[in-house]
Amino acid sequence: MLYLRVAEQELVQLYLDKKLFSMVHFYVGQEAVAVGVCDALKPEDKVMGNHRSHGHYLAKGGNFRRMVCELLGRANGLARGKGGSMHMIDKSVNFIGSTPLLGSVVPLATGVAFEQKYNKRDTITTAFFGDGASEEGVVYESYNLAALYQVPLLLIVENNLFAINSKLKDRRAPGHSLEKIVSGFGIEYRKADGNDYKDVTTKAKELADFVRREKRPAMLECITYRHMAHSTPLMDEKYREVDTLEERTKQDSIAKLKVELLAGGTKESELALMEAELKKSVLADIQFALESPFPPKEDIYTDMYAE
Amino acid sequence: MEQRIIKYAEAIKEATKQILESDKSAFLMGLGVPQGAAGTAVGLKDLFPTQVLDTPTSEAALTGMAVGAAISGLHPMVYHERVEFSLLAGDAIFTQAAKWNYMFGGDNPVPVVLRIAVGRQWGNGPQHSQALYSLFGAVRGLKVVIPSTPHMMKGLLISAVKDKNPVVILEPRWLYQVKGHVPEEMYTEPLDKARVVKEGKDVTVVAYGDAFVDTLAALKLIPQDISVELIDLVSINPIDYQTIAKSVEKTGRLLCVDSTNSAFSIGSEIIAKVAENPVGLTQAPVSVAAPDVPVPTSPALSEFWYPTKVDIANGILKMFGKPLLDIKLPFEELHLAPTTTLE
């Protein structure tokens, strides 16, 4: 979790220096969700994400160096510079792809899980998407399909209270209940405190086991806070009511873990050393990316079709 | 040996059956597919219970699911009964399937086949008989074919399933009962090549789908001394400009036929490309297409919407300064799907 935080904080600097030429949605604040969920999965389980997937990818065991090469549009990036921040992919760690069209990941992941059922595999598929995406029509259709075909799909809703800057209460009818909606489709539902690693990972493990055993879909809704703006690193405050700066600081999952570690006997200096080492490694990867070659212009024409 | 003659819809069913038999990662899904899908899948559910799936009326999700299954290595064939229904799956088709391999830098095949029924059908009007060829032709990353005969239909469907990319087959439902020679064994037809069906030296006529069948009939109405080179376009994404340019260089004249709106049509795209490099062209190219308004329902109006074989013949005759035909076609020929046997 700290690695995700340190890595993205350095990406913020790259962004501010205008070296990062890709639309970026920072994950800062939501780390407990990605790490809590991915820790509950097996390496051979598949994961798909959305526009805000740096954290999902890294938590699944992704390679930060290749990720940052992609963010900087380099030839050795995850998608050879053609995708950018919103298109994470790395099949070597079973991260099957992220796509920024809201809700699109849910039918796609249903299909990936359908293959696992079709070929009688013991693996499951996890899809990360947000509270905004969960309002798309295709997502409701996909709940029905996933339940109808009984596919091993774990749905993770990261409810950070905002669709861009629009509040839940302005988007949902009074009495709206995601639990009631998905339960109506026969999908097992749990809610977790998305700012608490232990709560997320315990419930994610329960549901991952359930999906693997029962071969049918389940959903974990994680209530969490997005520390930055929708797609810039600004710490914008004007539209926030619940997740004020004070509340975000108080509920920060990483700060809470630090308190626990210190209480358990870990020394402050050990934590500082750990953070310094992570930062060193992140900076080395960023330097590597900055020195990596851009793709040649001929690459415009490659890869439209698979050979 | 006597050639085996079967219907276009039967060619689809036969190809599907052979695909499901020989490729266990292939499956067919769509609303009403187990009930036969307009004669293209009759009885297949009984033969392949796990490979033929009925679906909810959720085009967006079921198409997205098929794309997801394809990126995991399965070979889904999705059937959309009307092109208007497939538009509800626009994200899955145009933004996900079409972009997947490119946006991830290659090595990410999406072997999904979308069979989408398009075009005319008696009494179906503005929202049930669009063709929208140019929409599918315009989006990069898709392969899009329009089979004009039962023979092409079977070969193209088998090629589509073997291909690693999203292939859209736009099936003119007007042709479902048209008959023609189809070999019993499995065979493939290239997805990206136009075919010269008849060689000629005076004018190149490019047509596809139901307009191709009407053009075959039109050629019987014009005098023998006009030598027509007839090209079945086959693929609209990509378009095989090489075959067309080679033909135009020889004949010096070009006429394109579309059985849908003239605006942004496949014909106008071809004419524009030929005009950019008009090697050998001796005369302004001609487009025969439908008027630029939606399809009306009343037969009294739709009669004047679709270009007929007479309109196509007159387009050719006009290019040569010949007198035009004045033939009134019978109601059946104007408004009911053909059951003709193609040579």
Side-chain angles (χ1 to χ4, degrees), chain A residues 104 118 149 300 303 305-306, chain B residues 24 54 91 101-102 142 165:
Chain A
S104 298
Y118 193 89
Y149 296 138
I300 296 177
D303 306 321
Y305 296 126
Chain B
K24 288 300 160 196
D54 211 336
D91 177 66
N101 191 65
Y102 189 86
L142 298 175
N165 297 283

Side-chain angles (χ1 to χ4, degrees), chain B residues 307-324:
Chain B
T308 65
K309 64 181 181 186
V310 178
D311 298 325
I312 299 165
N314 281 338
I316 298 169
L317 291 169
K318 208 171 159 189
M319 290 183 97
F320 292 89
K322 304 261 187 189
L324 303 188

Side-chain angles (χ1 to χ4, degrees), chain A residues 79-80 82-83 87 89 91 98-99 101 104 107-108 111-112 114-115 118 138 141-142 145 149 300 302-303 305-307, chain B residues 24 26 51 53-56 58 60-61 64-65 68-69 72 91 95-96 101-105 107-108 142 164-165:
Chain A
R80 298 174 51 220
K82 287 201 171 110
H87 303 284
I89 188 158
K91 289 188 279 190
S98 66
T99 171
L101 280 301
S104 298
L108 293 171
V112 171
F114 179 84
E115 186 276 339
Y118 193 89
V138 69
E141 292 183 4
S142 301
L145 269 188
Y149 296 138
I300 296 177
T302 57
D303 306 321
Y305 296 126
E307 297 297 327
Chain B
K24 288 300 160 196
Q51 287 172 281
L53 275 83
D54 211 336
T55 66
S58 304
M65 183 191 119
S72 276
D91 177 66
T95 306
Q96 304 303 334
N101 191 65
Y102 189 86
M103 76 188 189
F104 289 130
D107 194 28
N108 277 285
L142 298 175
K164 289 184 171 176
N165 297 283

Side-chain angles (χ1 to χ4, degrees), chain A residues 256-267 271:
Chain A
K256 282 195 279 190
L257 277 182
K258 274 186 188 167
V259 171
E260 269 185 50
L261 285 170
L262 292 172
T266 309
K267 292 193 186 99
L271 286 178

Side-chain angles (χ1 to χ4, degrees), chain B residues 240-284:
Chain B
D240 177 8
Y241 290 112
Q242 214 179 349
T243 297
I244 296 166
K246 201 173 144 206
S247 174
V248 171
E249 192 176 344
K250 178 173 70 172
T251 65
R253 296 181 184 87
L254 172 64
L255 181 141
C256 295
V257 192
D258 293 277
S259 61
T260 184
N261 300 126
S262 168
F264 294 89
S265 67
I266 302 300
S268 38
E269 177 70 4
I270 291 171
I271 289 170
K273 276 287 184 296
V274 168
E276 281 177 23
N277 188 22
V279 180
L281 198 66
T282 60
Q283 195 173 326

